[in-house]
DNA sequence: CCCAATGATTGACG
DNA sequence: CGTCAATCATTGGG
């Protein structure tokens, strides 16, 4: 102790270099910080030292010195100290101390013994810590917009109650922890329920469904197209959904197997459809129902016209969620076929499609863009080499967990050369388990049977593809009537 | 300053 | 262990 004091007073190139000295003093100050009587002379010596600025670059030194000053009611001096110290990388502790100092000042000014959380927040806003203490700036507590968008899309497109595997996938995609993903969905479900109990307490049949989207304009869905938002089907509605949740609701009730359309009240669902089923094309940049793993930022715009267009142009990421249980993907397909049957233009990707839920006599135009090279063994096999891409940003602390799901993950940077198109003209949607027969002209085919899931054939009839690795489908329904 | 939105935490429950 | 409800803390915007 005395040694340090003399060292500080008489430092003249003989002692250890300043950085080393700062480390030592920092350690000493830390050890003594609870003993004000002992630490005080040391702090004074540091602050009076010629090496003051060097020493204060040590986080421990700065912290204890500022703390001591603050305890001595020298808040201004403590703040000046924190402003002039240059701790490399900043320090959360120092930021906290900075805030505590200003809390104290505000408390004194207001004459109160404690601050409410909101008062603290205002104080932090009014007195932000110096940049040197937090070089990365203050980060928002809220998740980034893209992250929330992705979670929202999953909730509205796949499930509000994702399985553990799905949550883990989402966590990987969003750089959140699985716990954060879980919390998000829990909050989402809860708040959706609360919202509906307020907005439509009368409509019991539908109000109890937590999956229906809110009516308020969603800040995350600014497209203004209500079609976009209506594509929700809870996975548990379908036979594959094993994790039953929510109030039991028989699919065979008045609404049929389809979920009521929250945002399309014009379509009662069990009535013969009266609206023209004019096929609608996606406009450039228009939002469409999102697949499992694509955030809007990565979604390409679709231009429809004669012929087919690659639906993904660049750096599209395909992820392990495509290999998720069939139920997930089937639900998505079913949701789409249902929703899109009235609001065309749904974009889906997945392992396969099940059109059994389609309205009878519906002509379904399915445009498929393969993200990769079609092969006889699979729709589009993952590229052998994974091109580098900036899409997948490794978040801190996640790299270790990324290993095993990454097996099925690949990135696509090249649009497919040519995507085929075929037309399904579907007979009444009996749930016939009969295998489908594909008879089709060149680039279109007629289906006389419901298309079983996981089986779609290219028009050329060459091969059957059961894995849509990265395929995206644009479904356009027209001319059908509800049966 | 107020308020709504949002993420996290906690305890109860099956 | 997973879910829910209640509640807290934080935040952004009017």
């Amino acid at each position: 102790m005395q040694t340090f004091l003399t060292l500080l007073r008489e430092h003249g190139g003989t002692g250890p270099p300043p950085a080393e000295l700062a480390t030592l003093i920092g350690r000493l100050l830390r050890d003594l910080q609870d003993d004000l009587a002992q630490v005080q002379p040391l702090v004074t010596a540091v602050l009076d030292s010629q090496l003051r600025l060097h020493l204060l670059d040590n986080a421990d030194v700065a912290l204890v010195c500022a703390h001591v000053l603050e305890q001595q009611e020298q808040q201004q001096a403590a703040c000046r100290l924190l402003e002039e110290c240059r701790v490399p990388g900043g320090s959360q502790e120092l930021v906290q101390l900075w805030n505590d100092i200003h809390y104290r000042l505000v408390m004194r000014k207001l004459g109160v013994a404690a601050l409410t959380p909101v008062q603290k927040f205002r104080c932090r806003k009014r007195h932000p810590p110096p940049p040197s203490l937090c070089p990365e700036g203050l980060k928002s507590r809220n998740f980034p917009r893209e992250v929330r968008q992705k979670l929202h899309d999953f909730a509205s497109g796949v499930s509000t109650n994702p399985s553990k595997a799905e949550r883990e996938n989402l966590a990987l995609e969003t750089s959140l922890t699985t716990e954060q993903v879980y919390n998000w969905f829990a909050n989402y479900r809860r708040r959706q329920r609360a919202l509906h109990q307020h907005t439509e307490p009368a409509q019991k049949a539908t109000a109890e469904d937590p999956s229906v989207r809110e009516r308020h304009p969603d800040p995350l869905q600014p497209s203004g197209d209500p079609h976009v938002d209506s594509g929700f089907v809870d996975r548990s509605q379908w036979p594959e959904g094993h994790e039953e949740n929510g109030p039991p609701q028989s699919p065979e009730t008045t609404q049929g197997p389809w979920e009521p359309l929250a945002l399309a009240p014009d379509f009662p669902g069990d009535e013969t459809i009266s609206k023209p089923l004019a096929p609608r094309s996606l406009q450039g940049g228009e939002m469409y129902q999102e697949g499992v793993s694509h955030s809007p930022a990565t979604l390409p715009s679709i231009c429809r016209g004669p012929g087919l267009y690659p639906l993904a142009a660049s750096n599209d990421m395909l992820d392990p969620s495509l290999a998720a249980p069939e139920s997930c993907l089937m639900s998505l397909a079913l949701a789409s076929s249902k929703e899109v049957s009235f609001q065309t233009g749904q974009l889906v990707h997945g392992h396969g499609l099940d059109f059994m839920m389609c309205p009878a006599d519906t002509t379904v135009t399915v445009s498929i863009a393969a993200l990769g090279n079609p092969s006889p063994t699979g729709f589009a096999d993952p590229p052998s080499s994974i091109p580098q891409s900036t899409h997948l940003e490794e978040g801190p602390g996640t790299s270790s967990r990324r290993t095993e799901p990454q097996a099925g993950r690949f990135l696509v940077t090249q649009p497919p050369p040519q995507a085929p198109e075929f037309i399904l003209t579907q007979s009444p949607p009996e749930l016939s388990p009969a295998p489908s027969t594909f008879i089709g002209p060149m680039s279109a085919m007629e289906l006389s049977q419901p298309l079983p899931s996981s089986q779609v054939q290219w028009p050329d009839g060459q091969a059957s593809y059961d894995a849509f690795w990265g395929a995206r489908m644009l479904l356009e329904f027209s001319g059908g009537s509800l049966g």
Side-chain angles (χ1 to χ4, degrees), chain A residues 25-343:
Chain A
I25 293 181
R27 214 171 290 162
L28 181 62
L29 285 170
R30 277 281 192 173
D31 292 342
L32 301 176
Q33 64 179 336
D34 293 330
D35 188 344
L36 196 58
Q38 284 222 38
V39 90
Q40 160 101 57
L42 200 47
V43 166
T44 308
V46 166
L47 296 181
D48 291 342
S49 164
Q50 299 170 353
L51 298 172
R52 168 190 169 109
L53 285 181
H54 287 296
L55 299 174
L56 288 179
D57 288 349
N58 179 283
D60 290 330
V61 175
L63 187 76
V64 177
C65 289
H67 190 65
V68 166
L69 287 176
E70 198 242 347
Q71 285 189 329
Q72 294 172 334
E73 300 293 323
Q74 301 183 45
Q75 276 81 10
Q76 301 299 339
C79 287
R80 245 179 295 123
L81 186 153
L82 290 174
E83 278 167 342
E84 70 185 17
C85 75
R86 294 286 181 269
V87 174
S91 159
Q92 276 299 298
E93 270 183 312
L94 290 176
V95 171
Q96 183 63 52
L97 180 57
W98 171 275
N99 289 334
D100 287 340
I101 291 170
H102 286 90
Y103 294 159
R104 189 77 60 93
L105 289 170
V106 171
M107 283 157 58
R108 191 189 298 169
K109 187 175 156 191
L110 298 177
V112 294
L115 295 181
T116 68
V118 178
Q119 285 172 319
K120 288 183 180 177
F121 176 69
R122 290 184 197 133
C123 175
R124 289 197 300 275
K125 282 295 172 193
R126 199 164 301 185
H127 309 285
S132 56
L133 293 188
C134 42
E136 274 116 60
L138 299 169
K139 47 184 182 290
S140 170
R141 193 183 62 111
N142 294 351
F143 298 159
R145 182 183 183 79
E146 318 84 62
V147 166
R148 286 192 281 175
Q149 179 73 57
K150 192 179 283 284
L151 297 171
H152 251 289
D153 289 333
F154 192 94
S156 58
V158 184
S159 171
T160 57
N161 209 349
S163 67
K164 190 172 181 179
E166 287 167 330
R167 290 200 299 269
E168 283 166 1
N169 278 336
L170 285 167
L172 286 174
E173 291 174 17
T174 55
S175 297
L176 299 178
T177 67
T178 54
E179 195 175 2
Q180 285 175 306
V181 173
Y182 179 83
N183 279 336
W184 191 92
F185 278 96
N187 284 325
Y188 179 86
R189 289 192 298 269
R190 183 159 44 251
R191 283 157 184 161
Q192 288 302 113
R193 256 194 308 273
L195 198 60
H196 279 96
Q197 275 164 12
H198 281 120
T199 49
E200 31 186 324
Q203 300 183 9
K204 282 198 64 175
T206 56
E208 284 177 6
D209 180 12
S211 62
V212 188
R213 299 277 288 174
E214 70 266 41
R215 273 156 164 77
H216 299 314
D218 190 332
L220 288 172
Q221 309 268 354
S223 74
D225 185 348
H227 304 160
V228 171
D229 229 11
S230 60
F232 183 89
V233 164
D234 191 315
R235 208 180 61 195
S236 63
Q237 303 287 325
W238 305 103
E240 294 86 351
H242 31 277
E243 294 163 299
E244 190 66 31
N245 78 327
Q249 184 178 354
S250 167
E252 262 67 57
T253 50
T254 57
Q255 297 292 343
W258 296 344
E259 200 60 17
L261 296 183
L263 293 174
D266 290 338
F267 303 125
D270 57 349
E271 300 285 328
T272 302
I273 199 152
S274 54
K275 290 228 169 189
L277 290 169
R280 175 178 143 276
S281 296
L282 291 174
Q283 306 303 312
E286 182 181 353
M287 282 290 296
Y288 42 76
Q289 176 58 45
E290 206 178 330
V292 193
S293 64
H294 297 266
S295 68
T298 66
L299 283 173
S301 55
I302 290 184
C303 6
R304 286 287 297 163
L308 284 159
Y309 296 84
L311 300 188
S314 67
N315 277 357
D316 210 352
M317 186 187 74
L318 304 166
D319 71 348
S321 62
L322 287 178
E326 289 288 299
S327 57
C328 161
L329 302 166
M330 283 305 106
S331 301
L332 191 57
L334 289 168
S336 305
S337 64
K338 170 215 166 186
E339 300 290 349
V340 179
S341 61
F342 312 116
Q343 329 287 347

